[in-house]
Every structure is written in structure tokens, then in C-alpha cells.
Amino acid sequence: MASSFDPETLGGKITQGRNRLLKKLLRNPDIVWRVEKRREAEIVKALEAGEDVSDKGSVILIISGMMHQLNLVGGKIWSLCDGQRSLGDLIEALAVEFEVERDELAEDVEGFVDDLLQRGWLKHG
Amino acid sequence: MADAVTELFSAPLTFNWTLSFRCNFSCSHCYSRDEQAEELPTADILRIIDILAEKQVPFINFGGGEPLIRDDLFEIADYATGKGLNVSMNSNGWLVDTAAANRLRACGFKSVGISIDSAEAALHDDFRNMPGSFDRAVAALDHLRRAGVRTTMSSVISRINYRNFRDLLDLARAHGVAQVYLHNFKCSGRGLKNREDLDLSPEEWKAFYVEALQVKQETTDLLISFDDPVISSLPGYDEKSLVSGSSCGKLSLHMRPNGDITPCGFIPLVVGNILKDDFDTLWYDSPILKKMRNKEASGKCMDCGAFEKCLGGCTARAFAVTGEFNQPDPHCWK
């Protein structure tokens, strides 16, 4: 019924150069989604306490009557894909918010975005 | 037995919103025809939409009463869609002419459902106590389709139509309907008063659903929906609901014309008022909603293996007949 996406397990390598980093990313407008704010606050608190929160969903997507959940990082990425930001912008924004080694972050974000593009949940704006 | 989904949600996915109990029809099964409530002015309704948008409630479905009785429906819908909400409604179709259909399209309705209870015009008109209503309802489907609005058809299953539900599906096909809701009969309001004439026996419900589920499995050109938790243990039931049992109070809430919130339109218990109370407090802490989300088996449900799936069936029906949420659904055949 529900599934979580863990950017840490979704690999991918930046292989298509700079242009790919500059393309704007846009959520599929047919997908209904919502940030579950109370849950998000609980997860942030757990993260600050040093807990592993990678399998805890804070953003829900309703797609063809099915619900999917995104974890904290996946939800941040999803929320940022408003048609105004590129992959490079996402990496910049997340680098400020999460203390992760830059190359590792870029690889994970690209892998996650690729997966969502393949599913048709994101598109290039 | 709370669902993990209910624990996760910060608000319902859908608000079923009765803007007015007024109606130009007087149907035999109506849950709300004898209800009365003060109606809010447009400004207050727009304030409610602001609250729903802030709480990120994605879907609003206007019902009633007849939604088009309110002259400001288009303004309200336009405001809601502008806030990013997905708006739909259920109507008897009487007031949906070409101009209205075009306005519904222009203000962003995702879909409009038209109530049709029999493919026989005379039977529908008699049930709805309105001569000519069948022709107007069918015409409404056509006006909406031509305007580019997705249409659905709502049919309350009762003694007048349960043997001929296939005719309703054929009628829907003939008029380009995308989805047919074969609604389960609710013994609320006039539905309770006229229950003996309209409701099926539990065995008849089972026979209907077994047949209808088979038709649904064989049908590829039309979506067929039931939304009745009592069927979750039947063979062929494969709907992937986000929650077990009734979705009311978990995935959806109902709002009365004065802003009072109830778990669903068929349960007349007020949880609070959206303009007067803090929504988060109502959603998370309402004793009524908590009770609906944590049903316990009683009576014959205690020894039934299906309870985990159906959670006692339709809570509204159980409450209407027994006054208790936890009693078994009176439609249950087990």
C-alpha cells in the first residue's frame, strides 16, 4: 500500500554533463501530494537526536488511488521541484540543509530524481 | 485498531461539503432532506477554503442539498481551484444546462457526478418525486461532456434498481460517463424512514455484490466503484483502499452548511466547527473520530474472521440502526 523512497539507497551517477544539471524540474501536476507537517516535525526531532529516519515518510503522494510516501530528504527534493529549480539548484539547497559529503549528495539526489523522472512523477519543465 | 495511515495524516484527503440542505427535489431515500442548518455567507465559505488550503486538504466534493441551489457555487469553486484544491460535486442535474456546464468547466471542476437511480425514466422520476428529472439528468451528462467536464454517475442501490444495475452501466456508457458509483443504501434520514420499502436484506446485498463485483472485473470501458466496507471479504474484491473499514473520519470528513464538521454526512454527530474551533485539535483529539478510528468488534463481529478487513462494515449504518459505532453493519450477511 505504501512505500518509502530512501535517497541513500537510490544510486546514480552524473553522466550527462552540465546541461543536465541546469534543466528545470517540475512535479507531475496530476499527482496529489501533501507534506504531513506533524510527522515531519517528529522526524526532524528524531534526526536531531541521531536516529535513522531514512524509512520514515513525511510527504504523501496519491497516484491512481495508491498512496506513496517520501522520506525527509525525498520529500524536500519533491517539494523543491516547482519548475523553477534545476538538479544543480536542488543539490545546492540540500547541501545547505544536510551535512553530507557533496559528491555523495549529488549522486544520491541525481539517482532519486532519475527514478522519479522514469516513473513520470517528475518531468523537465 | 487504528490504521497506520490515520496516524500519519494531518488532515483528511477529502471534505464532503454540504453547502446547503436546500434542494429542488424531494427524494425517497435522502439523508438530508429534513435537515436544517444556517447557511454561511460567501465570505465565510471563502475563509473555510483558506483553512482547507492551509491544511492541504486536496479534494473538496460539494453535495447537499443541491449544490447549484447556491448562486455563489461558481465563485466558491473558482476560489477553491485557485487555491490548488481539486473540486468536484454531486448534483441531480436539473440545473445543469449548457451555460451552467460551461461555467462549471471554467471554474475548474475536476468532475461532476449526476444522480440517476434507474435507467427507466418513469422509475427514476417516481423515486426522485420529480417528473422530467430523468431526462434532465441525462441531458446534464451530455451538456457536461460537451463542455469538457469529466462526468460520473451516482446510483443509490435499493429495491428499485438492484436487479437492473447493468442497465445503469449501459446508460452511463451511452453518455460518455467515466465512472459509475453504485452507492450502498444508507438508512439515515428519509432512508431510515423508508427503509422497509427500499433497503435489501443482508442476503440480497450479498447476492448483489457478488454479481456486481464480477461485472466490475469483466468491465474495461467503465470504472465501477462501490465504497462499501461490508464487501471487503467477498471474492473478487480487489479495491486497494488506504484504510480498512469505513473511510469516514479517516480519509474524509463532512461539513454541514454552518461549518459544523461530522465524520460523514450520514452520522449526525458534530465533531466541532471549522470556523470556531482549532482544526488540528478536532482532527487529532476528537473523541468521536478516535472512536471511529479505533473500532472494536462486538456482537457477531467478535467471532468473525473478516473483521480485520471490514472493521464491522459501514459505521454510519450501524450507528443509525443501533446508536453504536461498534455494532455490526445491519447489511452484513455473515
Side-chain angles (χ1 to χ4, degrees), chain B residues 5 9 11-15 241-243 247-253 283:
Chain B
V5 165
F9 281 178
L13 294 179
T14 303
F15 244 103
S241 176
L242 297 178
V243 294
S247 58
C248 309
K250 304 174 186 172
L251 303 180
S252 62
L253 288 175
W283 176 251

Side-chain angles (χ1 to χ4, degrees), chain A residues 1 32-39 57-58 60 62 65-67 69, chain B residues 5 7-12 54-56 58-59 86 240-242 284:
Chain A
M1 183 176 66
V32 170
W33 65 284
R34 172 166 85 194
V35 179
E36 297 297 351
K37 291 176 184 168
R38 182 182 277 207
R39 175 61 63 92
S58 61
I60 60 162
I62 307 293
M66 295 281 287
M67 188 178 79
Q69 296 181 49
Chain B
V5 165
E7 307 269 311
L8 167 68
F9 281 178
S10 54
E54 199 260 324
K55 296 299 168 192
Q56 295 187 291
F59 301 103
N86 296 279
K240 296 175 181 62
S241 176
L242 297 178
Y284 288 114

